[in-house]
Amino acid sequence: MLSRLFATLFLWALGISVVVASDEHTADNGADRRVPPYLDSDIHHRWFDFGGDAIIRTDQYVRLTADRPSQRGWLWSRVPLTATNWQLAFSAQKLTLARLVQIEFEFKIHGDGSLHGDGFALWLTKQRATSGPVFGSADKFEGLGIFFDTYKNGRTGVSFPQVMAMMGDGQTAYDAAYDGRANDIGSCSARGLRGASIPTKARLTYFQDKYISLDLQYKSDHTWTPCFKITPSNEVSIKIPSIAYLGFTAETGELSDNHDIIEINTYSMYSQPQAAPSSDGKKAKSKSTFGTGGQESGGSWFWTLFKLLMFLALIAGAYVGWTAYRTSRHGSRF
């Protein structure tokens, strides 16, 4: 009888422990999903729309523009992002926003010939899916645009490809004649980004009222290279609309290139702002603040299991004591 009770209680405790561990893993583990942003069996995607000249190679990429002149293509989230703090790494399967979310995406810019253009953009804007002259999207936007510009127009003193950020207020136009010089709040030159020999990636971080930063991975040693980090000032605002859509667009003119989006990942980090991803390409291990105590998820799991085992021990001790008491009373009758 006692052994059967112990076995039942142990299986019950093990089942609860597995459920607790599974829930904590779902809530606080790095990647929510790692699914390329391709189509389902109904030629749709649950979280993204695409249009313009964009084409889908189901098992390989979303090609925003092919290596042909005068093309515009786009890929936009169907639902807006609505969190206050997030760290960008895109999940095409699920757009998850939390205290801190990281969005990484893999892309490829390539084509034939020695002359090419124009580039592509990443957007976090109030508007969505509107074709226009700014890397295939509408001008005078409201929100954040990050431009991967591969063709030099009138801007001097910098080398291309050029990656730059612009905060749109809904009224200011993009300075196309000088490659965004008047709008530049953070930028870097990334020679070798186009046609790189390794998979090229970008990682965007936004921490509300603190900073926006971008890291790139395109060098042969696979390290992350900081591109820019923008902090707010009297001249520079980094406020993104509370409801913003995530988008990718690209454009070609007389010159052209293939602009491919290969993979988009989202990570819920829940970390302190100083726990930014390390520059060696590995994710920073940060303490979880998901819940009150600031415990790491592993420690929380073991603490829960410890409490369950202590509870079982108390039940077992009470049962043994009660059995011994009943036996002694039974024996005293004779």
Side-chain angles (χ1 to χ4, degrees):
M1 176 69 180
L2 184 61
S3 61
R4 183 174 299 174
L5 176 64
F6 271 124
T8 302
L9 291 175
F10 176 76
L11 291 174
W12 172 75
L14 182 62
I16 292 180
S17 300
V18 169
V19 170
V20 170
S22 176
D23 288 345
E24 291 184 355
H25 178 80
T26 301
D28 191 47
N29 193 27
D32 294 311
R33 292 284 186 264
R34 288 193 176 196
V35 179
Y38 308 146
L39 302 179
D40 57 23
S41 58
D42 297 323
I43 319 299
H44 293 90
H45 193 280
R46 182 178 180 184
W47 300 106
F48 284 89
D49 286 328
F50 68 97
D53 294 305
I55 59 174
I56 310 297
R57 178 69 182 269
T58 308
D59 57 341
Q60 292 186 22
Y61 51 72
V62 176
R63 178 157 290 171
L64 300 175
T65 68
D67 190 2
R68 299 191 185 98
S70 304
Q71 289 207 330
R72 289 177 180 174
W74 51 264
L75 177 71
W76 283 93
S77 65
R78 292 187 171 190
V79 296
L81 311 180
T82 55
T84 55
N85 296 328
W86 36 267
Q87 199 180 308
L88 273 185
F90 306 118
S91 169
Q93 184 75 5
K94 179 181 180 182
L95 293 175
T96 303
L97 290 198
R99 285 290 299 170
L100 194 62
V101 176
Q102 184 177 65
I103 302 177
E104 294 178 10
F105 66 97
E106 182 179 341
F107 62 95
K108 187 174 184 180
I109 307 172
H110 60 106
D112 298 328
S114 57
L115 296 176
H116 40 265
D118 286 318
F120 77 98
L122 177 156
W123 304 94
L124 286 162
T125 57
K126 193 172 181 179
Q127 305 81 12
R128 68 178 294 275
T130 304
S131 181
V134 184
F135 296 92
S137 191
D139 202 355
K140 298 183 179 180
F141 57 90
E142 186 175 352
L144 175 66
I146 296 182
F147 310 135
F148 295 74
D149 193 347
T150 57
Y151 182 75
K152 187 173 185 177
N153 290 300
R155 190 167 184 174
T156 59
V158 296
S159 59
F160 279 64
Q162 177 83 359
V163 182
M164 65 156 279
M166 172 182 173
M167 289 299 304
D169 58 8
Q171 299 178 357
T172 304
Y174 172 68
D175 181 18
Y178 294 95
D179 304 301
R181 183 173 62 189
N183 318 111
D184 188 347
I185 61 171
S187 61
C188 69
S189 296
R191 185 180 295 274
L193 186 71
R194 180 191 178 276
S197 60
I198 69 165
T200 47
K201 298 179 181 181
R203 179 173 64 197
L204 177 66
T205 304
Y206 169 69
F207 193 77
Q208 188 183 32
D209 300 326
K210 299 295 183 181
Y211 65 85
I212 296 173
S213 66
L214 183 74
D215 300 298
L216 302 172
Q217 187 179 98
Y218 62 95
K219 297 181 180 179
S220 58
D221 57 3
H222 293 266
T223 58
W224 286 99
T225 302
C227 180
F228 57 74
K229 184 173 183 178
I230 309 162
T231 55
S233 65
N234 293 333
E235 294 78 23
V236 176
S237 170
I238 60 170
K239 185 176 179 59
I240 292 176
S242 58
I243 297 178
Y245 291 91
L246 165 64
F248 296 87
T249 65
E251 180 179 34
T252 62
E254 294 181 5
L255 303 177
S256 61
D257 247 345
N258 298 306
H259 299 96
D260 300 340
I261 302 297
I262 298 171
E263 188 171 12
I264 305 174
N265 297 317
T266 301
Y267 301 87
S268 300
M269 303 291 286
Y270 293 95
S271 63
Q272 300 299 327
Q274 64 269 24
S278 57
S279 60
D280 61 357
K282 298 179 181 178
K283 285 204 137 358
K285 294 182 179 179
S286 57
K287 287 188 177 180
S288 169
T289 57
F290 190 66
T292 59
Q295 297 172 325
E296 294 185 10
S297 60
S300 176
W301 183 86
F302 282 114
W303 177 242
T304 302
L305 180 60
F306 175 75
K307 288 190 290 185
L308 287 171
L309 292 177
M310 290 296 294
F311 176 69
L312 292 178
L314 288 173
I315 292 177
Y319 178 80
V320 171
W322 177 73
T323 302
Y325 172 73
R326 189 179 65 173
T327 302
S328 64
R329 287 197 60 187
H330 181 75
S332 64
R333 295 179 184 180
F334 297 94

